[in-house]
Amino acid sequence: MSGNTHVVASGETMIGIAKRHGVTLKALLAANPALKDPNRIRVGQTIAIPAGSVVVPEPVFQIPGALPGGAPVSVPVMPRLPAEDEQAFAAMDKRGKAKALHPIFRERLVMLAGVLARRGMKALITDGLRTFAEQDALFAKGRRGIAGEKKVTNAKGGQSNHNYGIAVDLYPVLPDSAGQEKVFTSVPPNASVEFARAFNETQRAIGEEAEHLGLFWGARFMGIVDTPHIQLFPQHEMSPKECLEIYRRNDETLRAVWDEASRRVRPLPR
């Protein structure tokens, strides 16, 4: 906020914040005398902005139809991470499911892709942000009286972290019987012991490495276990119910949910 405060987001620096608000670094430091080391700011920290500053619009790209009702959402362009991590993430997001994720969440998924690649493992994001209508369609499965159709979720539109761009589903990518790499959502019937071991090890590594990056793994849910599920927050820290309340209080804007998420996200351990 110009002439007021700025909440530090992931990847930001004092120089970048100064440029963002059209002030010099010297003026910004003078307005924050308690900040002893300008190189050690943390995500969620509040920075005072000198009066008279002018906000420079942050670079964004548009994701058409990402929101309920088809409205576009502007997603901040985050700083680039190491090229090898970005390359691994491009393969992880081959279906383009991560385009409308919260930027801090997406950044940590890029880091996750790099960690997995260095372990010789691959994964694919099969589901990212869903509109409320898409969520309702999933909720209807298994409840329409269609023979053999199973329930896939207990969450209606607005009741899933997927609806706010702070959750994804990730599955292992492994060679099939013909040696071709493909995504697997489960161990196929008659799969070899080696394949089953590789599948389970990769799925577990996805969750455990995500936890090391401050993310939450669906295998830790109380009650229904959702092993492929990775989200930005533990359920009790920023629940879908709270996200929906924030969304409705702010003219149904996803940005309001993201701003609150940015304030709450914890910095990575040093």
Side-chain angles (χ1 to χ4, degrees):
M1 296 175 61
S2 179
N4 191 0
T5 60
H6 176 96
V7 178
V8 177
S10 178
E12 287 191 311
T13 64
M14 288 294 282
I15 293 176
I17 293 171
K19 290 180 179 179
R20 171 87 173 89
H21 291 273
V23 298
T24 64
L25 177 60
K26 182 178 180 180
L28 187 61
L29 293 175
N32 294 272
L35 186 62
K36 303 302 181 184
D37 186 350
N39 296 315
R40 294 177 66 88
I41 58 175
R42 65 184 186 279
V43 173
Q45 184 174 356
T46 299
I47 303 296
I49 304 300
S53 61
V54 178
V55 176
V56 178
E58 60 184 332
V60 299
F61 60 91
Q62 296 287 321
I63 305 298
L67 295 180
V73 57
S74 295
V75 182
V77 176
M78 299 298 290
R80 292 191 66 82
L81 292 171
E84 59 269 23
D85 289 10
E86 292 280 1
Q87 185 176 6
F89 181 73
M92 178 184 281
D93 189 38
K94 192 159 48 176
R95 296 182 181 178
K97 298 293 184 178
K99 289 182 177 179
L101 297 179
H102 186 285
I104 297 175
F105 182 42
R106 182 189 181 279
E107 183 182 49
R108 294 194 182 181
L109 290 173
V110 173
M111 299 165 97
L112 174 61
V115 170
L116 292 174
R118 286 186 283 278
R119 291 185 59 175
M121 297 176 174
K122 296 181 181 180
L124 184 73
I125 298 173
T126 61
D127 213 357
L129 183 141
R130 300 187 200 120
T131 65
F132 287 20
E134 288 170 336
Q135 188 68 40
D136 283 334
L138 282 179
F139 180 80
K141 289 187 176 182
R143 295 176 172 88
R144 300 177 292 188
I146 298 176
E149 188 177 68
K150 297 180 180 180
K151 294 179 181 179
V152 295
T153 181
N154 289 324
K156 297 180 180 179
Q159 297 177 350
S160 168
N161 279 318
H162 283 281
N163 302 146
Y164 306 101
I166 54 176
V168 296
D169 292 333
L170 271 166
Y171 287 97
V173 172
L174 297 164
D176 62 14
S177 58
Q180 299 297 313
E181 286 192 341
K182 59 179 289 188
V183 61
F184 287 88
T185 58
S186 63
V187 178
N190 302 319
S192 67
V193 173
E194 291 76 15
F195 181 94
R197 183 183 298 115
F199 177 90
N200 292 325
E201 286 180 352
T202 304
Q203 193 75 82
R204 184 171 60 253
I206 292 168
E208 291 177 348
E209 295 293 357
E211 290 179 320
H212 293 157
L213 291 167
L215 304 175
F216 180 79
W217 184 21
R220 312 299 188 196
F221 279 136
M222 298 295 290
I224 298 176
V225 173
D226 192 356
T227 306
H229 183 91
I230 303 294
Q231 62 185 43
L232 183 57
F233 295 105
Q235 203 76 346
H236 67 279
E237 287 191 10
M238 193 165 177
S239 69
K241 180 180 179 182
E242 187 175 5
C243 289
L244 182 58
E245 291 171 352
I246 295 169
Y247 179 78
R248 286 174 171 168
R249 282 200 310 267
N250 292 275
D251 300 320
E252 299 192 347
T253 58
L254 182 61
R255 191 65 196 207
V257 180
W258 282 13
D259 286 345
E260 182 60 28
S262 295
R263 283 189 284 271
R264 296 190 191 188
V265 73
R266 298 175 183 175
L268 288 173
R270 292 189 177 275

